[in-house]
Amino acid sequence: MKKILLSLSALLMGVVLFTSCDDDDTPQLRPVPTTEGAFVMCSGNMGKKIPGSVSYWDYSKNSISNNAFSQANGRGLGSTPNDGVCYGSKIYYVVGGENTIEVVDKDQKSIKQIKTTDLLGKKEGANPRHIIASYGAVWVTTYGGYVAAIDTTTFALRKSYKVGSYPEGLTVANGRLYVANSDYSKGNGSISEINLATDKVTEHKVEGSKNPQAIFIDRTGFYILDWGGYDGNWNQIGAGLKVLKAKNGKDIAEDVVANATSATYYNGVFYTVNAPSGAASVSYSKYNTANHTTSSMKYNYDETKFSPSYIAADPVTGRLFLSFYEKVGGYASYATAGYLKEFDASGKELHSAQIGVGPCAIFFNTKINWK
């Protein structure tokens, strides 16, 4: 575990902001990111044979397009889509129940369907989970215990890495890939660190983290979203947004937002949904990494009608989006249409739209322009 902290220290020291000075006054082109919209992955409901789908919120129109993939291709995504990423001119959808990654263009037309079981093997490639993009590749975790690096030009497998038990979210920083291994909520979760220069994989146990789902890194630290465990009545215990610290000769994860079950990061601030299974109520928090303070948030919506599932902040503008299950009979419904809502920084609802069944992830259509 000390290696994670050492790697993180090097990473934080290496994050430097540069201003360019030149002898002439020739204008320099600079990358300027802009976001055009937000995608919502909707997992459907396997038990009720409701297929998954993707919805798209277009910023320029302030409107939603549902079933975007199926309308463009005349077929559905299949069972349990659960993540996606935009990279270059392409969009990548991870479909766990089909063991596929759908690659589409900006018009949602299918370019390639990649079978992770063909790339990695039937067991190793089973149930792809989460995806990020970097270094000209997309990096995908599978419940087979692997990370696959897939070339974005040829769609061939560049490399694969054996990681911990039931990996979920991942992030890349300073030449290293970090993977949250959930152990399928059995209580023995870990973090895998992949050195991309040497391909060495190191698994680290973290005291206080049983079921890590996502990893965030900024100048102030290494953070884990952990789902904890469950008691005999399926009440969720020990979930939270946690920061890694060294204490009494041990490396541990300490809560910065207790009971957090979904988290997003923007400009030094985490926004969380605190809705552990079995809790009597839902709460929301904001954690400032610079001054290490946690405060409550209030989002203005009807809590009798909606139950939150996911939170995401636009990485360019900070626009806040929450996806919701519809409540039926007082409980979250996993078989009826969900909702996407946008809020301002004070929690005021700005927009709302009906989306697909089982919203489970939000990611953004961000482009780089040179100006």
Side-chain angles (χ1 to χ4, degrees), residues 20 22 24-30 371:
S20 178
D22 207 315
D24 61 36
D25 294 324
T26 304
Q28 298 281 331
L29 289 176
R30 296 178 181 272
K371 297 182 180 180

Side-chain angles (χ1 to χ4, degrees), residues 170-238:
L170 66 171
T171 193
V172 65
N174 201 35
R176 288 176 170 83
L177 197 74
Y178 297 97
V179 185
N181 305 308
S182 70
D183 195 38
Y184 207 59
S185 303
K186 297 174 184 176
N188 196 31
S190 64
I191 302 296
S192 289
E193 176 188 1
I194 303 171
N195 185 321
L196 297 178
T198 65
D199 292 336
K200 181 180 179 182
V201 181
T202 306
E203 188 174 1
H204 306 276
K205 301 295 183 182
V206 183
E207 185 176 318
S209 174
K210 294 183 176 182
N211 186 4
Q213 296 289 314
I215 297 170
F216 306 87
I217 297 173
D218 82 346
R219 287 176 176 270
T220 67
F222 190 111
Y223 298 86
I224 301 169
L225 178 69
D226 195 284
W227 279 0
Y230 300 87
D231 66 16
N233 295 315
W234 291 104
N235 295 309
Q236 197 170 357
I237 300 169

Side-chain angles (χ1 to χ4, degrees), residues 95-106:
V95 189
E98 307 296 334
N99 301 321
T100 59
I101 300 163
E102 289 280 359
V103 188
V104 303
D105 64 17
K106 62 181 180 63

Side-chain angles (χ1 to χ4, degrees), residues 52-54 66-78 93 108:
S53 64
V54 59
N66 290 319
N67 300 307
F69 177 86
S70 59
Q71 288 184 15
N73 296 283
R75 63 180 176 87
L77 281 169
Y93 299 135
Q108 295 294 307

